[in-house]
Amino acid sequence: MYRAVTRQIEVIVEPNFLPERSSAEDSRYFWAYTIAIVNSGTETVQLKTRHWIITDGAGRSQEVRGEGVVGEQPVLEPGERFEYTSGVPLQTPSGFMTGSYQMVTESGEPFEIDIPAFSLDSPNYKRTLN
């Protein structure tokens, strides 16, 4: 699991490789990732937008920006948790993702929270460390 905390908002990520949706012959590798967002602060906040940077094992990056997550813009009161699962395909058996969520407080103050960088590795992929 990967964790980041910004302004008492914790983002926890757990990636999982999906071999049934992947094909080495077609250079298609697929991961699901589950994200939990926990409001440990004292203010009610809402997630407005997401920004992802997805990088495959060959160093190719793509940026994804959009409204909310999985079609929602959740409101989190103090102590509340929101969890969702999404997925990402890559052309290589490894890569990583990182990003941020744009949040807004009840009083209208916008701020960003970090999504921790997390690794996407297929179980059969052999990494070489230099």
Side-chain angles (χ1 to χ4, degrees), residues 4-129:
V5 179
T6 310
R7 280 183 63 159
Q8 297 182 297
I9 312 289
E10 184 177 22
V11 179
I12 304 159
V13 183
E14 190 170 347
N16 288 296
F17 180 68
L18 300 180
E20 68 278 6
R21 302 228 7 223
S22 302
S23 167
E25 298 80 35
D26 298 328
S27 296
R28 185 181 68 244
Y29 302 87
F30 197 87
W31 288 263
Y33 54 90
T34 299
I35 296 191
I37 303 166
V38 182
N39 183 357
S40 300
T42 57
E43 293 183 279
T44 298
V45 296
Q46 183 176 19
L47 188 155
K48 298 300 275 184
T49 64
R50 69 187 182 282
H51 174 217
W52 285 108
I53 301 167
I54 305 161
T55 306
D56 72 13
R60 294 178 292 241
S61 284
Q62 63 175 340
E63 290 194 49
V64 177
R65 294 177 188 271
E67 297 290 313
V69 290
V70 294
E72 296 186 50
Q73 291 182 318
V75 174
L76 292 132
E77 293 184 22
E80 284 192 327
R81 169 189 185 104
F82 177 80
E83 193 171 297
Y84 73 95
T85 300
S86 191
V88 63
L90 293 180
Q91 294 179 341
T92 61
S94 70
F96 65 93
M97 291 175 65
T98 189
S100 61
Y101 296 123
Q102 177 77 38
M103 309 293 283
V104 65
T105 64
E106 232 174 1
S107 62
E109 177 198 353
F111 65 99
E112 281 194 357
I113 63 172
D114 294 329
I115 301 168
F118 59 96
S119 181
L120 303 168
D121 294 305
S122 75
N124 330 2
Y125 181 63
K126 307 254 186 307
R127 269 196 277 188
T128 305
L129 299 176

